[in-house]
Each structure stands twice: as structure tokens, then as C-alpha cells.
């Protein structure tokens, strides 16, 4: 499939949204459906169906820093991919404070992730809504102290299913943790 036809049907890298047909490949006698991933609708591949923990950039940064320190103690060299990953998460990590111990940061981030994971809001018709693991990590990566509800919903469209007041409550949770993390000597 050419890049033009791929772009024309709205799928990246030539992925198709149609079932594969056994007539296209005589050696195949079963049909499979290509999963369509859509973060706005919280539709992900099978990898996200299992009970996994999605990490934020801040959590990955702390893990990589601790691992790099251990490697130095053991006189091991870090691979280029490791260094590039560490550089990336440090660049986009908004929750950092070099004055705090790693364990303090880990505890704060784990507490925030726990609070976001257990966040519940009831709709007018009695349905209980909760944040998806993807939303939790995306929010932890996104938020600065001045992030507004509209900005959060624009960047994480699946949040639009929550009332504006609930998104603001979520952002307040993250802001308060971020302030504790970046505050000197707390």
C-alpha cells in the first residue's frame, strides 16, 4: 500500500481497519481483525487489557536515575538507548526536585498515582466513572501548575466524558502534589 493510499484511508503506516481475508493469502484459513487504537475513546490494543501499571515520565525518571547510580557503583556502562531515554524523560519531567531524596519522590508519585487511580465521579444518571491508566499517566505527564481544564481536555480528549468540575478536581490533586515535590525543603 502506498503512502498516499494509506493517508487517504486515514490509517497510519498502511494499517487497515478491515478484517484480513483468507482469499488474499491462500496459506491462511482464519480471519483476524486489526485492532484500531484510539486514545480519545480509550480503545487500546490487547496489551492494555491486562492488569498493567502505566508509568509517568517522572516515575520513569526516578527509576532510571536510581538504576544509573547503581550502575556507577558497579562500574557498568550505560547503553546509548538508556541514556537517550533518560534524557527524554528528564526533559519532559515536570515533577522534579534535586533537593529531595529519591524515596520521597517515589512516595509522592506513588501517592498521586494511587489517588488518580482511585478517583471516582458519579454521573447524573448514577454511573460511576474512573480514570483509565492511560489518562492517569498522561495527566501526570501533562500538568503544570497553570494547566486549565480546557487545555487538559484538548490534550487528553477522553477526559471530556467527565464534568468540568471533576477535571478541575483532578488537576487540583496533581497541582498540590507537584507543589509539594518542587517546593524546597518540604
Amino acid at each position: 500500500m502506498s503512502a498516499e493510499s494509506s493517508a487517504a484511508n486515514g490509517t497510519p503506516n498502511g494499517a487497515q481497519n478491515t478484517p484480513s481475508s483468507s482469499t488474499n493469502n491462500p496459506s491462511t484459513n482464519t480471519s483476524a481483525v486489526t485492532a484500531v487504537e484510539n486514545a480519545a475513546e480509550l480503545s487500546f490494543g490487547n496489551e492494555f487489557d491486562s492488569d498493567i501499571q502505566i508509568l509517568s515520565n517522572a516515575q520513569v525518571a526516578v527509576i532510571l536515575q536510581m538504576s544509573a547510580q547503581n550502575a556507577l557503583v558497579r562500574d557498568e556502562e550505560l547503553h546509548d538507548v538508556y541514556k537517550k531515554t533518560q534524557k527524554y524523560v528528564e526533559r519532559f519531567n515536570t515533577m522534579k526536585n534535586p533537593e529531595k531524596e529519591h524515596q520521597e519522590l517515589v512516595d509522592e508519585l506513588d501517592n498521586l498515582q494511587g489517588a488518580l487511580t482511585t478517583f471516582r465521579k458519579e454521573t447524573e444518571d448514577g454511573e460511576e466513572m474512573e480514570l483509565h491508566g492511560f489518562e492517569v499517566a498522561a495527566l501526570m505527564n501533562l500538568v503544570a501548575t497553570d494547566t486549565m481544564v480546557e487545555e487538559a481536555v484538548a490534550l487528553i480528549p477522553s477526559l471530556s466524558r467527565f464534568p468540568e468540575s471533576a477535571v478541575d478536581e483532578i488537576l487540583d490533586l496533581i497541582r498540590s502534589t507537584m507543589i509539594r515535590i518542587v517546593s524546597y525543603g518540604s
Side-chain angles (χ1 to χ4, degrees):
M1 176 179 286
S2 71
E4 292 86 14
S5 64
S6 172
N9 75 12
T11 58
N13 302 323
Q16 296 182 4
N17 295 341
T18 58
S20 48
S21 170
S22 58
T23 59
N24 293 342
N25 184 351
S27 65
T28 306
N29 56 6
T30 62
S31 67
V33 176
T34 304
V36 177
E37 296 180 5
N38 184 338
E41 296 175 2
L42 299 175
S43 173
F44 301 99
N46 293 338
E47 302 85 40
F48 285 90
D49 288 342
S50 62
D51 188 26
I52 62 169
Q53 181 180 2
I54 302 171
L55 301 176
S56 68
N57 286 335
Q59 291 169 303
V60 173
V62 170
I63 291 167
L64 291 178
Q65 287 169 358
M66 293 170 62
S67 178
Q69 288 174 351
N70 290 337
L72 284 173
V73 169
R74 293 187 309 264
D75 198 29
E76 295 175 355
E77 189 172 327
L78 300 174
H79 297 280
D80 286 339
V81 173
Y82 186 99
K83 290 176 187 175
K84 287 178 184 179
T85 303
Q86 191 172 25
K87 185 177 177 182
Y88 174 86
V89 294
E90 282 299 325
R91 178 177 174 200
F92 293 104
N93 179 10
T94 57
M95 297 191 195
K96 54 187 166 189
N97 183 342
E99 303 297 319
K100 289 204 179 222
E101 296 292 323
H102 286 300
Q103 193 56 49
E104 287 179 274
L105 292 172
V106 169
D107 291 345
E108 287 284 359
L109 293 169
D110 285 349
N111 289 340
L112 174 59
Q113 187 173 35
L116 293 172
T117 301
T118 58
F119 179 85
R120 303 285 185 272
K121 203 44 115 177
E122 195 170 303
T123 63
E124 291 176 8
D125 46 338
E127 180 186 341
E128 187 175 77
M129 296 188 323
E130 60 187 48
L131 290 169
H132 185 277
F134 164 80
E135 293 169 315
V136 171
L139 282 161
M140 289 175 70
N141 289 339
L142 159 78
V143 173
T145 54
D146 62 347
T147 301
M148 303 300 293
V149 170
E150 298 79 20
E151 180 182 9
V153 172
L155 295 171
I156 309 168
S158 59
L159 293 177
S160 65
R161 71 188 197 284
F162 286 94
E164 199 170 299
S165 61
V167 176
D168 196 41
E169 189 178 333
I170 293 165
L171 295 175
D172 282 342
L173 254 173
I174 297 169
R175 281 186 205 107
S176 63
T177 300
M178 185 177 203
I179 290 168
R180 279 195 311 274
I181 288 175
V182 299
S183 296
Y184 179 76
S186 56

